[in-house]
Amino acid sequence: MYNTYMGVRKIKKSYISSTGHFKSFKNNKQIAYESILERDFYMTLEFDDEVLSYEEQPLRINYEYKDGISYRYTPDCLVTYYDNTQKYFEVKYANNIRDDIELKEKLDFLITYFSEQIDIELEIATDEDIDSIYLDNLNFLYNFAYLQEDEEKYSQIENTLKNLNNDITVEQLLPQLSNNKMEQLQYLPYIWNYLFINTYLLDLDEKITNKVVIKTGSDIWEK
């Protein structure tokens, strides 16, 4: 038997593990996490264009393992994709799995169990799936996710970029928006906000600085 209602387990504050809440732009609500790795995993979901939404602690099951003992299990996350498919995720450090044979065997058992009994895939996500530069870039852009809207600045940034024939760096874009240094500083957070919304204009595997290249051209805007 298993329960399908969302958020089945309350995540309590811990002074040992790094628990907390992540303000999700995609879900428009706070998402609880039980480790820094879970928080990092949620950040990658925020930038995944295939992900519609995600929910923490989505399901609780009771299952009987090979030792005959009944165990309770709650996956870390349920991801819903734009193609209407769903997938459960367990988030673990790769070294913990490699160093614990029993844990690996139990996870393998659960992967098969979910496939056969619940009919929704369970996948293991680890820290080795997340590139550090990529994650740093996501964290940087996410700082500007909730910037107060300024439609005039947003439109000027977009119109300027769309009128360019060649790629441009952020520092090269600033003087095209204003000749005034103070105004350029005011534009800068809105450029980052614009790029947070339109991440396809960046190579997120390249460390973000003011020298990062913004892609332009008609083929880019047709996306």
Side-chain angles (χ1 to χ4, degrees):
M1 294 294 294
Y2 56 91
N3 301 320
T4 58
Y5 60 92
M6 309 304 285
V8 296
R9 189 171 80 220
K10 297 288 186 180
I11 297 179
K12 298 179 180 179
K13 184 176 181 180
S14 169
Y15 295 97
I16 301 175
S17 61
S18 299
T19 61
H21 286 80
F22 174 83
K23 188 176 182 181
S24 169
F25 188 87
K26 182 164 284 189
N27 293 287
N28 193 30
K29 68 175 184 177
Q30 297 282 346
I31 301 291
Y33 61 84
E34 290 185 309
S35 70
I36 296 301
L37 182 57
E38 279 188 26
R39 186 191 65 186
D40 292 345
F41 176 67
Y42 295 154
M43 181 64 76
T44 66
L45 297 179
E46 290 288 329
F47 286 83
D48 190 333
D49 291 336
E50 296 181 357
V51 172
L52 173 63
S53 62
Y54 58 92
E55 184 79 21
E56 82 280 31
Q57 308 292 347
L59 171 80
R60 178 183 296 143
I61 65 169
N62 293 307
Y63 68 96
E64 189 174 295
Y65 195 46
K66 61 184 180 182
D67 54 13
I69 299 175
S70 180
Y71 291 88
R72 178 179 292 176
Y73 172 67
T74 302
D76 292 319
C77 184
L78 173 66
V79 177
T80 301
Y81 297 91
Y82 277 101
D83 64 2
N84 293 320
T85 61
Q86 291 184 308
K87 186 183 293 185
Y88 290 106
F89 283 89
E90 177 67 23
V91 183
K92 284 279 187 288
Y93 286 97
N95 280 340
N96 290 349
I97 299 174
R98 279 193 291 265
D99 295 342
D100 190 334
I101 295 175
E102 183 179 350
L103 172 61
K104 185 180 185 306
E105 289 180 351
K106 193 168 283 188
L107 290 174
D108 288 342
F109 174 87
L110 286 167
I111 289 171
T112 301
Y113 183 93
F114 269 70
S115 176
E116 295 177 351
Q117 303 296 324
I118 300 181
D119 202 29
I120 296 179
E121 181 181 352
L122 173 68
E123 184 171 319
I124 311 303
T126 76
D127 51 308
E128 293 181 350
D129 299 322
I130 306 174
D131 178 78
S132 59
I133 292 177
Y134 178 74
L135 180 62
D136 286 346
N137 288 340
L138 302 192
N139 283 319
F140 174 79
L141 290 175
Y142 207 74
N143 289 325
F144 304 93
Y146 293 94
L147 189 68
Q148 184 175 353
E149 290 185 13
D150 188 323
E151 189 61 38
E152 183 177 347
K153 284 187 173 64
Y154 189 94
S155 295
Q156 187 166 351
I157 292 167
E158 182 165 81
N159 291 336
T160 301
L161 290 173
K162 285 188 173 182
N163 286 325
L164 295 173
N165 294 319
N166 299 310
D167 295 347
I168 190 171
T169 66
V170 170
E171 67 179 6
Q172 291 169 340
L173 175 61
L174 287 170
Q176 303 232 15
L177 297 170
S178 174
N179 293 322
N180 184 288
K181 293 293 185 182
M182 289 300 296
E183 288 184 357
Q184 288 179 16
L185 290 176
Q186 293 171 2
Y187 265 106
L188 190 56
Y190 288 96
I191 293 174
W192 297 127
N193 174 260
Y194 183 87
L195 294 173
F196 164 75
I197 296 170
N198 301 281
T199 53
Y200 64 90
L201 298 177
L202 295 176
D203 179 359
L204 290 176
D205 294 319
E206 175 188 351
K207 184 175 176 57
I208 290 180
T209 67
N210 282 2
K211 296 183 183 296
V212 71
V213 173
I214 305 172
K215 302 170 190 175
T216 62
S218 58
D219 57 328
I220 294 295
W221 301 109
E222 288 173 358
K223 289 187 177 183

